Amino acid sequence: MPAPAGTKRVRGVQIHRPFVYGTEAVPFDPANRPKNAPADHTHSWKVFVRGINNEDISYWLRKVQFKLHDTYPNSLRMIEGPPYEVEETGWGEFEIAIKFYFVPESTEKPQSIWHGLKLHPYGDDIEGKKERREMVKSICYEEVLFNEPVEQFYDVLTGGGAYARGKAGAKMGKASARGMPTAEIPERISKDNVYSREQESRELDRLGVAIKTVENQIAEEKKRLIEEETKLAELEKTEGRPVNKKR
Ligand code: SLL
């Protein structure tokens, strides 16, 4: 029996889509506090989900729910369309649950990730960053993987119309009007976006160096172990084996 419309999956196919998510926070300027902020609040912050290089991801992402700390009024914030973000003020750091709702054609269940809101500088030069009241960013790259998407969602993701119309190479669907949907990330790092092939290859170089270092350390340790074992064997020859006393 054929599967009901909209539930037939494209077998053996996985499609991924990259995105970034995270938080940005700045301490209040004491001379210019936001007017409506409660007296104990110290920072303005924002949590967001967006496409790489601000690419439109609304063709696969329908809406996003941000679950804030219970101390916030209406702590469940549903954002129905881009930009998927919540701006707030507060005094404390906490874990934000970010729930992704995919477009209805996908028939996919919502998925959640968690992200720690960072208000306070971390890494190098913490004192300097505090003094300059620098923005504290905590941003991650991630990819959502659609495993064997249903045919109509496959069309949405790829901008084709092959499955919906039952023939390959047919005219482009609606999505193509907005530019061909893609999982490609930019070639080069730019002022507003680091997530690129260039960044990826730098990261791979760093990993390569780290792997070499670890391999060298392992080789050193093995050499040392062999030396120690040789010494022990010699000692056993001259002094005899140590007696293991049971306690
Ligand atoms: C904790 N990390 O684990 C803390 C909680 C709460 C954050 C941080 C203000 C909410 C409001 C706010 O910053 N909450 O009163 O509007 O206990």
Side-chain angles (χ1 to χ4, degrees):
M1 199 171 63
T7 61
K8 194 151 178 275
R9 294 191 170 269
V10 185
R11 295 288 167 209
V13 166
Q14 290 188 326
I15 294 195
H16 72 277
R17 285 291 174 266
F19 62 93
V20 287
Y21 66 99
T23 58
E24 291 174 351
V26 267
F28 290 162
D29 175 352
N32 190 17
R33 277 177 62 93
K35 285 180 193 60
N36 301 324
D40 57 345
H41 287 197
T42 53
H43 290 71
S44 301
W45 57 261
K46 182 200 276 193
V47 57
F48 59 83
V49 172
R50 55 172 89 114
I52 307 294
N53 222 0
N54 260 328
E55 189 201 314
D56 180 13
I57 53 174
S58 62
Y59 67 94
W60 58 265
L61 186 59
R62 163 75 187 83
K63 55 185 184 178
V64 178
Q65 185 196 63
F66 297 92
K67 165 88 180 74
L68 309 184
H69 195 264
D70 290 334
T71 47
Y72 280 90
N74 314 316
S75 62
L76 281 178
R77 309 284 175 90
M78 185 66 95
I79 306 301
E80 301 279 347
Y84 308 101
E85 58 185 41
V86 170
E87 287 190 72
E88 261 299 350
T89 62
W91 52 263
E93 299 184 336
F94 59 92
E95 283 277 298
I96 301 174
I98 307 174
K99 193 165 178 181
F100 290 68
Y101 292 81
F102 303 106
V103 292
E105 302 91 302
S106 72
T107 72
E108 297 282 337
K109 293 203 184 80
Q111 287 182 27
S112 293
I113 52 178
W114 284 261
H115 189 72
L117 164 64
K118 286 284 206 190
L119 298 184
H120 308 293
Y122 55 94
D124 306 328
D125 189 22
I126 291 179
E127 288 311 312
K129 286 175 183 164
K130 272 192 199 158
E131 216 154 283
R132 295 186 294 275
R133 266 196 258 119
E134 260 177 35
M135 178 181 278
V136 175
K137 296 185 184 191
S138 168
I139 303 176
C140 301
Y141 172 97
E142 190 49 277
E143 291 173 355
V144 58
L145 188 69
F146 300 110
N147 188 42
E148 303 195 330
V150 294
E151 289 177 348
Q152 53 186 355
F153 188 39
Y154 177 90
D155 286 345
V156 167
L157 286 170
T158 57
Y163 280 96
R165 282 191 296 280
K167 49 178 168 177
K171 270 200 261 142
M172 292 298 181
K174 197 173 70 180
S176 66
R178 281 178 259 137
M180 191 69 155
T182 171
E184 288 306 309
I185 59 175
E187 209 48 54
R188 301 242 151 252
I189 297 173
S190 63
K191 191 169 70 61
D192 302 316
N193 176 60
V194 291
Y195 302 102
S196 55
R197 293 283 157 228
E198 185 180 1
Q199 174 80 348
E200 189 176 54
S201 92
R202 283 188 196 178
E203 191 69 30
L204 286 172
D205 289 348
R206 277 195 289 270
L207 282 172
V209 171
I211 289 170
K212 274 263 138 54
T213 310
V214 171
E215 281 171 355
N216 288 342
Q217 284 170 348
I218 291 173
E220 280 292 313
E221 286 302 314
K222 271 192 182 152
K223 210 173 102 200
R224 236 167 44 84
L225 183 67
I226 290 169
E227 282 166 11
E228 295 297 327
E229 278 176 350
T230 318
K231 254 192 235 162
L232 184 66
E234 273 163 17
L235 275 173
E236 279 179 1
K237 251 192 250 158
T238 53
E239 311 293 325
R241 271 177 174 276
V243 183
N244 251 349
K245 284 195 193 123
K246 281 224 173 94
R247 281 186 228 179

